[in-house]
Protein backbone atom coordinates (compact mmCIF):
# COMPACT_ATOMS: atom_id res chain seq x y z
CA UNK A 1 0.00 0.00 0.00
CA UNK A 2 1.54 3.36 -0.97
CA UNK A 3 2.38 5.77 1.79
CA UNK A 4 0.41 8.63 0.28
CA UNK A 5 -2.79 6.61 0.41
CA UNK A 6 -2.35 5.90 4.11
CA UNK A 7 -1.62 9.57 4.81
CA UNK A 8 -4.75 10.68 2.96
CA UNK A 9 -6.89 8.22 4.89
CA UNK A 10 -5.52 9.42 8.22
CA UNK A 11 -6.05 13.08 7.38
CA UNK A 12 -9.69 12.41 6.54
CA UNK A 13 -10.35 10.82 9.91
CA UNK A 14 -8.50 13.42 11.97
CA UNK A 15 -10.80 15.97 13.56
CA UNK A 16 -10.12 19.64 12.98
CA UNK A 17 -11.94 20.61 16.19
CA UNK A 18 -10.00 21.92 19.15
CA UNK A 19 -10.21 19.37 21.99
CA UNK A 20 -12.17 20.19 25.14
CA UNK A 21 -10.52 19.45 28.50
CA UNK A 22 -11.49 19.45 32.16
CA UNK A 23 -8.95 20.31 34.86
CA UNK A 24 -9.63 19.51 38.51
CA UNK A 25 -7.15 20.97 41.02
CA UNK A 26 -6.85 20.17 44.70
CA UNK A 27 -5.25 22.95 46.73
CA UNK A 28 -3.67 22.52 50.13
CA UNK A 29 -5.67 23.15 53.30
CA UNK A 30 -2.84 25.22 54.75
CA UNK A 31 -4.18 28.25 52.85
CA UNK A 32 -7.21 30.30 53.83
CA UNK A 33 -10.14 31.14 51.53
CA UNK A 34 -8.59 34.51 50.69
CA UNK A 35 -5.19 32.98 49.92
CA UNK A 36 -6.78 30.51 47.48
CA UNK A 37 -8.01 33.29 45.16
CA UNK A 38 -4.53 34.23 43.83
CA UNK A 39 -3.67 30.55 43.37
CA UNK A 40 -6.85 30.04 41.32
CA UNK A 41 -5.95 33.14 39.32
CA UNK A 42 -2.49 31.74 38.55
CA UNK A 43 -4.02 28.49 37.29
CA UNK A 44 -6.42 30.32 34.96
CA UNK A 45 -3.61 32.66 33.86
CA UNK A 46 -1.42 29.65 33.06
CA UNK A 47 -4.20 28.26 30.87
CA UNK A 48 -4.93 31.53 29.08
CA UNK A 49 -1.21 32.23 28.54
CA UNK A 50 -0.97 28.94 26.66
CA UNK A 51 -3.94 29.87 24.47
CA UNK A 52 -6.75 28.07 26.28
CA UNK A 53 -10.31 29.26 25.86
CA UNK A 54 -11.87 28.83 29.32
CA UNK A 55 -15.52 27.81 29.09
CA UNK A 56 -16.33 27.04 32.74
CA UNK A 57 -14.85 27.77 36.16
CA UNK A 58 -16.30 26.29 39.34
CA UNK A 59 -14.89 26.74 42.82
CA UNK A 60 -16.17 23.92 45.00
CA UNK A 61 -14.64 25.19 48.21
CA UNK A 62 -13.20 23.28 51.12
CA UNK A 63 -14.08 19.59 51.36
CA UNK A 64 -13.00 16.60 53.37
CA UNK A 65 -10.76 14.21 51.46
CA UNK A 66 -11.41 10.48 51.31
CA UNK A 67 -7.86 9.82 52.49
CA UNK A 68 -4.87 11.90 53.55
CA UNK A 69 -2.98 13.62 50.77
CA UNK A 70 0.47 14.83 51.86
CA UNK A 71 -0.80 14.85 55.46
CA UNK A 72 -3.91 16.94 54.75
CA UNK A 73 -7.44 15.75 55.50
CA UNK A 74 -9.16 18.72 53.80
CA UNK A 75 -8.54 20.58 50.57
CA UNK A 76 -9.97 23.19 48.23
CA UNK A 77 -11.33 22.01 44.88
CA UNK A 78 -11.27 24.04 41.66
CA UNK A 79 -12.71 22.85 38.34
CA UNK A 80 -11.94 24.46 34.98
CA UNK A 81 -13.18 23.44 31.53
CA UNK A 82 -11.32 24.79 28.52
CA UNK A 83 -10.52 24.31 24.84
CA UNK A 84 -6.85 23.93 23.85
CA UNK A 85 -4.66 22.35 21.20
CA UNK A 86 -3.12 19.07 22.33
CA UNK A 87 0.63 19.82 22.05
CA UNK A 88 0.42 22.56 24.70
CA UNK A 89 -1.07 20.20 27.29
CA UNK A 90 2.29 18.66 28.22
CA UNK A 91 3.69 22.05 29.27
CA UNK A 92 0.57 22.88 31.31
CA UNK A 93 0.58 19.47 32.97
CA UNK A 94 4.27 19.87 33.86
CA UNK A 95 3.76 23.35 35.34
CA UNK A 96 0.81 22.15 37.45
CA UNK A 97 2.78 19.14 38.63
CA UNK A 98 5.69 21.32 39.75
CA UNK A 99 3.48 23.84 41.59
CA UNK A 100 3.84 23.74 45.38
CA UNK A 101 0.34 25.07 46.01
CA UNK A 102 -1.42 22.25 44.15
CA UNK A 103 -1.61 18.91 45.97
CA UNK A 104 -3.12 17.00 43.06
CA UNK A 105 -4.50 17.78 39.63
CA UNK A 106 -6.17 15.80 36.90
CA UNK A 107 -6.73 16.73 33.27
CA UNK A 108 -9.36 14.84 31.31
CA UNK A 109 -10.28 15.16 27.66
CA UNK A 110 -14.04 15.64 27.52
CA UNK A 111 -16.59 15.21 24.80
CA UNK A 112 -17.95 18.59 23.78
CA UNK A 113 -21.75 18.43 23.96
CA UNK A 114 -23.83 19.50 21.00
CA UNK A 115 -26.93 21.67 21.28
CA UNK A 116 -29.13 18.58 20.95
CA UNK A 117 -27.29 16.83 23.81
CA UNK A 118 -27.58 19.94 25.99
CA UNK A 119 -31.32 20.11 25.28
CA UNK A 120 -31.67 16.42 26.12
CA UNK A 121 -29.80 16.94 29.41
CA UNK A 122 -32.08 19.87 30.28
CA UNK A 123 -35.15 17.73 29.54
CA UNK A 124 -33.83 14.93 31.76
CA UNK A 125 -33.12 17.41 34.58
CA UNK A 126 -36.66 18.79 34.25
CA UNK A 127 -38.13 15.25 34.47
CA UNK A 128 -36.03 14.50 37.55
CA UNK A 129 -37.13 17.75 39.21
CA UNK A 130 -40.79 16.99 38.42
CA UNK A 131 -40.45 13.47 39.85
CA UNK A 132 -38.82 14.77 43.03
CA UNK A 133 -41.54 17.38 43.43
CA UNK A 134 -44.24 14.71 42.99
CA UNK A 135 -42.53 12.51 45.60
CA UNK A 136 -42.27 15.43 48.02
CA UNK A 137 -45.95 16.28 47.48
CA UNK A 138 -46.95 12.64 48.07
CA UNK A 139 -44.89 12.56 51.25
CA UNK A 140 -46.49 15.81 52.45
CA UNK A 141 -49.96 14.38 51.74
CA UNK A 142 -49.07 11.22 53.66
CA UNK A 143 -47.88 13.27 56.63
CA UNK A 144 -51.06 15.35 56.61
CA UNK A 145 -53.18 12.15 56.44
CA UNK A 146 -51.34 10.80 59.46
CA UNK A 147 -51.93 14.07 61.28
CA UNK A 148 -55.66 13.80 60.56
CA UNK A 149 -55.77 10.24 61.92
CA UNK A 150 -54.05 11.13 65.18
CA UNK A 151 -56.01 10.38 68.29
CA UNK A 152 -56.45 13.07 70.90
CA UNK A 153 -55.42 12.69 74.53
CA UNK A 154 -59.05 12.69 75.69
CA UNK A 155 -59.98 9.72 73.53
CA UNK A 156 -56.95 7.79 74.76
CA UNK A 157 -57.98 8.48 78.37
CA UNK A 158 -61.53 7.26 77.75
CA UNK A 159 -60.27 4.08 76.09
CA UNK A 160 -57.90 3.41 78.99
CA UNK A 161 -60.74 3.97 81.47
CA UNK A 162 -62.87 1.43 79.59
CA UNK A 163 -60.06 -1.12 79.73
CA UNK A 164 -59.41 -0.57 83.44
CA UNK A 165 -63.09 -0.66 84.33
CA UNK A 166 -63.66 -3.86 82.45
CA UNK A 167 -64.59 -6.70 84.80
CA UNK A 168 -63.41 -9.47 82.57
CA UNK A 169 -59.77 -8.69 81.74
CA UNK A 170 -58.90 -12.26 80.89
Amino acid sequence: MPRGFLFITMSRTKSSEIPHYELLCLFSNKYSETEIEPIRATVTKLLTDHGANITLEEYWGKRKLAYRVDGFRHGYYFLVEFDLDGPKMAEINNRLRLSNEILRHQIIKKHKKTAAELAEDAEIKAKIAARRKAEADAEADEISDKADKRVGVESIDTELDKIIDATNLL
Side-chain angles (χ1 to χ4, degrees), residues 6 14 33 39 51-53 55 69 75 122 132 135 148 161 169:
L6 181 63
K14 186 176 179 183
E33 289 280 339
I39 299 170
N53 178 25
T55 57
V69 177
R132 286 184 179 162
E135 288 173 356
D148 293 341
D161 288 340
L169 292 176

Side-chain angles (χ1 to χ4, degrees), residues 66-82:
Y67 54 91
R68 286 184 183 207
V69 177
D70 293 341
F72 295 101
R73 291 192 178 269
H74 292 83
Y76 299 97
Y77 285 87
F78 181 53
L79 176 77
V80 182
E81 288 189 15
F82 58 95

Side-chain angles (χ1 to χ4, degrees), residues 94-154:
N94 193 29
R95 291 262 180 99
L96 292 172
R97 188 173 48 83
L98 294 175
S99 175
N100 292 330
E101 294 91 10
I102 300 174
L103 291 178
R104 297 279 191 274
H105 76 280
Q106 182 176 22
I107 301 174
I108 302 170
K109 187 174 183 180
K110 281 188 74 176
H111 169 72
K112 203 172 202 177
K113 292 187 176 184
T114 63
E117 290 172 332
L118 290 173
E120 183 180 335
D121 286 350
E123 182 181 326
I124 290 171
K125 285 180 182 178
K127 285 181 181 178
I128 290 171
R131 184 180 303 149
R132 286 184 179 162
K133 185 178 182 324
E135 288 173 356
D137 291 344
E139 187 175 320
D141 289 343
E142 184 178 317
I143 290 172
S144 66
D145 289 344
K146 286 183 181 179
D148 293 341
K149 292 180 183 178
R150 287 188 182 159
V151 179
V153 176
E154 296 82 22

Side-chain angles (χ1 to χ4, degrees), residues 23 39-57 78 80-85 88-89 91-92 95-96:
L23 166 66
I39 299 170
R40 287 176 35 200
T42 57
V43 170
T44 55
K45 185 177 182 325
L46 173 70
L47 293 172
T48 54
D49 288 348
H50 283 82
N53 178 25
I54 296 176
T55 57
L56 174 76
E57 286 186 50
F78 181 53
V80 182
E81 288 189 15
F82 58 95
D83 299 324
L84 181 69
D85 288 330
K88 299 175 184 176
M89 286 304 300
E91 174 68 23
I92 290 173
R95 291 262 180 99
L96 292 172

